[in-house]
């Protein structure tokens, strides 16, 4: 980006990507990445550069990998130039003279940044946020089955940015088969505010960063969502990252994994994490087993325990559903989270395929809001009968009014409990 006649930097074109558009920057990055990522290195501090002109303090070091001075190797290949210092300035590398020698050799050989011809160019396509462009690449990437990629950036435990060299394309990639909590992120509307991380979202982010960032990986792309994000499986050194996150309690099994070839492995990993009570399962209570314990408990003197409830639904059989008032704040927080998520990321109608017994999100016709529901029945005309687990009412809906629940909202137990009046039986004869 050379200055113009007045010494000002010329504006960069739209979509400019320094790593790929500045000559030799990509080659320099790849050289360093392959030399140091995942390797043991020696770091020697040469000097501390104090903060100046809005730039923070810098610790300037010599990095040795495999007996090679990385800075000297970069300069020797023409991937970098040497910063010049005054003779009386000792704030410099301990190997400054060798760096100058390496630069002189690179200049004489006319290699790298000193070359006058054969300058490398990288024509990169970026599909992030561009569903139309993503659709063009999707058939090729899906057909490839397993593709080599480099992890350029990680946004959360299950969301990352990949560079796929074979297609010269940058994509946003989501791990298949799991629900993974999200870390802290900029709040909607900007202003510098941050949205709080979900429980174990930061731990999941850190695990994926340490495992994958700037690493070579293998991906298998299976689906693409409406925003142009690719969904699939990722392996690093033959380790399936989706299974690893679940095994550590940093994610739960998503219903789409049930039909995948990794269903058994994912289910086993989740069951092991639940048994260990680790990660998101730390405070997990197996409701069915607790109920069974109560049923099998020995008969004792009746203990009256009153609870304040709100009746939300009365059935034709005379039973009724009610919510415990003490849990009202938790229910409101859950509903706020679901409503906010659907305002931010509106689901694509018809993208969710309902199955009997699944917990999903359903859009209630009375107020057009989203609530948690269980699929009870799919009729012959493809309509779906759902049961709203937090309120007790039922409704028959079109599948287009159903969607996948936001991550982390499907594990909470139902807030509506069914009750019946003791010693009372309703008449079954309508007359």
């Amino acid at each position: 980006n050379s200055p113009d006649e007045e010494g000002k930097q010329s504006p960069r074109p739209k979509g400019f990507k320094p790593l790929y558009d500045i000559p030799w920057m990509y080659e320099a990055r790849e050289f360093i990445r392959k030399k140091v990522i995942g390797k043991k290195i020696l770091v020697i501090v040469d000097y501390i550069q104090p903060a100046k002109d809005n730039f923070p303090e810098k610790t300037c070091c010599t990095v040795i990998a495999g007996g090679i001075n990385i800075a000297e190797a970069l300069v020797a290949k023409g991937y970098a130039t040497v910063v010049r210092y005054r003779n009386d300035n000792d704030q410099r590398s301990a190997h400054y003279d060798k760096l100058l020698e390496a630069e002189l050799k690179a200049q004489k050989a006319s290699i790298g940044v000193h070359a006058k011809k054969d300058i490398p160019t990288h024509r990169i396509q970026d599909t992030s946020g561009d569903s139309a462009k993503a659709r063009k690449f999707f058939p090729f990437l899906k057909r490839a089955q397993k593709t080599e990629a480099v992890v350029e950036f990680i946004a959360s435990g299950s969301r990352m940015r990949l560079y796929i060299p074979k297609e010269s394309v940058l994509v946003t990639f989501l791990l298949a088969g799991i629900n993974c909590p999200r870390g802290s992120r900029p709040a909607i509307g900007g202003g510098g505010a941050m949205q709080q991380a979900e429980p174990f979202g930061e731990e999941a982010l850190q695990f994926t960063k340490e495992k994958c960032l700037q690493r070579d990986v293998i991906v298998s792309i299976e689906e693409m969502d409406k925003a142009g994000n690719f969904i699939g499986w990722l392996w690093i050194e033959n380790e399936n990252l989706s299974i690893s996150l679940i095994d550590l309690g940093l994610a739960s099994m998503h219903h789409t994994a049930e039909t995948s070839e990794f269903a058994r492995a994912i289910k086993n990993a989740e069951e092991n994490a639940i048994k260990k009570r680790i990660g998101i399962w730390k405070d997990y209570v197996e409701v069915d087993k607790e109920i069974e314990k109560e049923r099998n408990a020995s008969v004792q003197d009746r203990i009256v325990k009153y609870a304040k409830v709100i009746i939300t639904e009365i059935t034709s059989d005379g039973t009724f559903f009610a919510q415990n008032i003490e849990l009202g704040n938790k229910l409101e927080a859950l509903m706020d989270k679901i409503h906010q998520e659907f305002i931010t990321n509106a689901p694509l109608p018809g993208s969710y395929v309902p199955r009997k017994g699944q917990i999903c999100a359903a859009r209630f016709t009375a107020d057009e809001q989203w609530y948690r529901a269980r699929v009870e029945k799919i009729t012959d005309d493809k309509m779906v009968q759902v049961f709203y687990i937090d309120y007790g009412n039922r409704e028959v809906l079109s599948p287009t009014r159903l969607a996948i629940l936001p991550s982390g909202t499907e594990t909470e137990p139902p807030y509506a409990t069914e009750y019946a009046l003791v010693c009372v039986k309703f008449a079954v004869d309508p007359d």
Side-chain angles (χ1 to χ4, degrees), residues 28 42 70 94 103 134 186 225 265 322 328 361 367:
L42 175 64
I70 297 300
E103 184 179 55
D225 65 17
D367 62 4

Side-chain angles (χ1 to χ4, degrees), residues 111-321:
I111 57 176
V113 296
H114 311 292
K116 300 295 189 293
K117 57 182 180 178
D118 298 328
I119 309 300
T121 57
H122 302 279
R123 299 186 183 280
I124 306 298
Q125 297 288 330
D126 189 355
T127 66
S128 302
D130 190 336
S131 57
K133 189 178 288 185
R135 275 194 295 271
K136 294 178 182 178
F137 283 93
F138 178 64
F140 303 104
L141 295 175
K142 185 174 183 178
R143 197 159 47 237
Q145 296 185 342
K146 287 193 174 182
T147 306
E148 294 180 352
V150 178
V151 180
E152 297 280 12
F153 175 77
I154 296 174
S156 71
S158 61
R159 185 186 184 94
M160 61 199 73
R161 187 174 173 84
L162 304 179
Y163 173 57
I164 301 177
K166 185 180 178 181
E167 301 291 342
S168 296
V169 64
L170 287 164
V171 304
T172 299
F173 180 81
L174 312 180
L175 290 177
I178 64 173
N179 290 311
C180 188
R182 297 199 290 182
S184 59
R185 54 203 180 278
I188 300 166
M194 295 295 289
Q195 196 167 338
Q196 191 174 0
E198 296 171 357
F200 292 94
E202 292 296 335
E203 289 84 349
L205 171 62
Q206 194 59 34
F207 172 80
T208 301
K209 272 188 176 181
E210 291 178 358
K211 201 83 176 169
C212 300
L213 188 58
Q214 293 299 328
R215 304 289 185 109
D216 293 313
V217 297
I218 300 294
V219 294
S220 175
I221 291 171
E222 296 191 344
E223 299 294 340
M224 187 190 84
D225 65 17
K226 62 173 184 174
N229 302 318
F230 294 102
I231 304 168
W233 307 95
L234 181 148
W235 293 266
I236 178 160
E237 297 176 352
N238 295 320
E239 181 180 340
N240 186 314
L241 189 61
S242 294
I243 298 174
S244 297
L245 283 162
I246 287 183
D247 193 49
L248 293 171
L250 298 176
S252 61
M253 183 176 182
H254 191 270
H255 70 85
T256 53
E258 295 171 3
T259 56
S260 79
E261 60 183 297
F262 309 107
R264 183 179 295 275
I266 289 176
K267 189 64 178 173
N268 290 341
E270 184 176 73
E271 288 175 353
N272 290 335
I274 291 173
K275 286 178 184 177
K276 295 176 184 176
R277 293 296 189 272
I278 56 175
I280 61 176
W281 308 109
K282 180 184 174 192
D283 302 316
Y284 177 72
V285 177
E286 295 183 75
V287 179
D288 292 342
K289 288 187 177 180
E290 291 299 318
I291 293 172
E292 194 65 29
K293 282 182 183 178
E294 291 177 10
R295 286 176 180 168
N296 297 333
S298 58
V299 178
Q300 298 176 347
D301 292 338
R302 185 181 173 211
I303 300 173
V304 179
K305 184 180 179 182
Y306 295 101
K308 290 185 177 181
V309 300
I310 297 175
I311 297 175
T312 55
E313 181 72 6
I314 300 174
T315 71
S316 58
D317 298 325
T319 63
F320 61 93
F321 287 86

Side-chain angles (χ1 to χ4, degrees), residues 3-55:
D4 58 18
E5 292 179 359
E6 297 180 0
K8 296 178 181 179
Q9 295 291 327
S10 57
R12 288 174 171 174
K14 184 180 179 182
F16 182 82
K17 294 177 175 57
L19 177 62
Y20 304 101
D21 293 336
I22 295 177
W24 302 106
M25 183 176 282
Y26 176 76
E27 286 73 20
R29 194 287 298 267
E30 284 297 280
F31 177 80
I32 296 175
R33 189 177 70 82
K34 291 175 180 177
K35 286 288 184 184
V36 304
I37 294 295
K39 310 286 177 58
K40 286 186 177 181
I41 61 172
L42 175 64
V43 178
I44 304 167
V45 177
D46 289 315
Y47 61 94
I48 306 295
Q49 187 178 69
K52 184 180 179 183
D53 298 333
N54 296 324
F55 290 102

